Amino acid sequence: MPVNLSAPQAADLHPVAGVRIGVAEAGVRKANRKDLTVFLLDEGTTVAGVFTQNRFCAAPVQVCREHLDGGQAIRAMVVNTGNANAGTGSDGLARARATCEALAGQLGLAASQVLPFSTGVIMEPLPVERITAALPAALADAQPAHWARAAEGIMTTDTVPKAFGTQVQIGGATVSVTGISKGAGMIRPNMATMLGFLATDACIAPDLVRDLVRDLAEQSFNRITIDGDTSTNDSFVLVATHKAAHAPITSLESSEGRALKAALLQVAQQLAQAIVRDGEGATKFITVRVEGGRTAGECRQVAYAIAHSPLVKTAFFASDPNLGRILAAVGYAGIADLDQTLIDLYLDDVHVAVQGGRNPQYREEDGQRVMKQQEITVRVVLGRGDAQDTVWTCDLSHDYVTINADYRS
């Protein structure tokens, strides 16, 4: 069961002017499940994305990069679940391009105006003929309010759909921000085995959108980890339709730019944290905050060492306050001149270690009390400076092994 995460309510997800979404059953891997989603974008929409840093990236990732770099306006996106179209060589590229051509043909667009996305099993041929056959049904289903259906349609091992929305006042106009994501395993910064789609009707200078999507990803999806694996298909896309009735935002440092970025970041972080809350086999949601570093980068380095550690994560699953494992992870994080005598460790409100050693006032029962909670904050103070950063992760349970052992069965 996900940790304090429930399925979204369609009424809470704001339609974004200029975006219509349709969902259909294509039978990509399993019958009788929503597994094909199309996004239709009005003319004038700006689209930007960031993708996996895995060098063995999937065919759709390669095609998305080509189409975004090609300079033509993106007018549609097509997403399938059940098959990643990764590890499929030149045939996979041909199938990803054929998917774009099929949707473009239905819409009277160039294939380069379509972005393809896939998620699911690796090294199996994409059944493009099933996708093509289901496209008319997906197009017929297209409605502005279908965000909740889309969140369901992109799931793989997720146990609940993930979608959030908000609205903000900018220049006297109501601006909508809505997004969906999927992911539950192979989660690691840079990015995760995840797909994320975030849209707004804000009017923003198109040349700002690319920088904005990178910054949003860096502060949300690149701050989560479940099992330390980096997927082949990770994709996060920002869509701006420019339909809201306010003056264009030309600087993210303006009051309007800051307001928009805050709204987008709120939803992006909710989507990213939802992936951790629904991590494969997860029973606990853990915030790892590292303070007192010389740079934010070294704070992240320490936070990731803690969040990736199987020993730390299994201790959290067992509610076992074997907290020396956290200090060990801090020590091997790779900061050569780290002074252990300056380090303090907190578990929520419990001061566990002071100046690198056990706090004389620390009691085992206090640590166990916190470890039994569903939501836990680990705070490490390095004593080296004023920088800080945060990573979100989960515990590692027996069910994680079962889910991944049986994934293809």
Side-chain angles (χ1 to χ4, degrees), residues 180-363:
I180 62 174
S181 66
K182 63 77 52 182
M186 284 185 79
I187 300 297
R188 185 179 185 225
N190 301 323
M191 292 163 46
T193 192
M194 50 89 36
L195 299 178
F197 303 95
L198 183 60
T200 180
D201 52 7
C203 299
I204 179 171
D207 59 352
L208 296 179
V209 177
R210 178 173 292 187
D211 290 339
L212 184 54
V213 73
R214 290 172 179 163
D215 197 21
L216 292 172
E218 187 62 21
Q219 296 182 65
S220 59
F221 295 105
N222 281 355
R223 290 292 183 276
I224 60 175
T225 179
I226 287 176
D227 53 18
D229 269 313
T230 298
S231 176
T232 54
N233 291 61
D234 310 332
S235 306
F236 172 52
V237 173
L238 176 62
V239 172
T241 66
H242 316 291
K243 296 285 188 178
H246 64 84
I249 296 171
T250 58
S251 170
L252 294 175
E253 299 307 316
S254 66
S255 59
E256 295 82 2
R258 290 194 298 270
L260 174 62
K261 184 175 178 180
L264 289 166
L265 183 58
Q266 173 191 327
V267 176
Q269 287 186 339
Q270 286 176 309
L271 292 171
Q273 292 177 19
I275 289 174
V276 174
R277 293 181 183 279
D278 195 25
E280 290 169 343
T283 69
K284 295 175 183 176
F285 178 83
I286 302 161
T287 299
V288 183
R289 185 164 66 245
V290 179
E291 305 170 359
R294 290 182 184 164
T295 66
E298 74 173 23
C299 290
R300 289 194 299 275
Q301 192 172 334
V302 171
Y304 292 147
I306 296 167
H308 288 160
S309 167
L311 289 176
V312 170
K313 293 160 78 69
T314 50
F316 275 109
F317 172 65
S319 300
D320 176 18
N322 191 352
L323 302 177
R325 293 178 176 183
I326 297 177
L327 293 178
V330 174
Y332 66 59
I335 300 176
D337 61 344
L338 186 68
D339 185 346
Q340 65 177 291
T341 66
L342 300 177
I343 296 171
D344 279 28
L345 170 63
Y346 297 81
L347 200 63
D348 272 9
D349 60 333
V350 177
H351 196 169
V352 176
V354 58
Q355 296 182 337
R358 182 182 177 122
N359 181 359
Q361 279 73 52
Y362 170 67
R363 298 184 307 164

Side-chain angles (χ1 to χ4, degrees), residues 35-88:
D35 58 4
L36 179 65
T37 304
V38 296
F39 290 80
L40 307 180
L41 311 176
D42 280 5
E43 189 173 358
T45 296
T46 303
V47 179
V50 290
F51 301 91
T52 181
Q53 294 185 29
N54 190 322
R55 297 300 300 169
F56 211 98
C57 59
V61 168
Q62 298 176 59
V63 174
C64 277
R65 285 172 171 156
E66 290 172 3
H67 289 185
L68 285 169
D69 290 342
Q72 283 197 280
I74 302 301
R75 295 289 309 282
M77 301 185 294
V78 55
V79 190
N80 76 268
T81 186
N83 185 301
N85 195 11
T88 48

Side-chain angles (χ1 to χ4, degrees), residues 166-188:
T166 191
Q167 290 183 319
V168 61
Q169 293 295 312
I170 295 179
T174 299
V175 170
S176 295
V177 175
T178 302
I180 62 174
S181 66
K182 63 77 52 182
M186 284 185 79
I187 300 297
R188 185 179 185 225

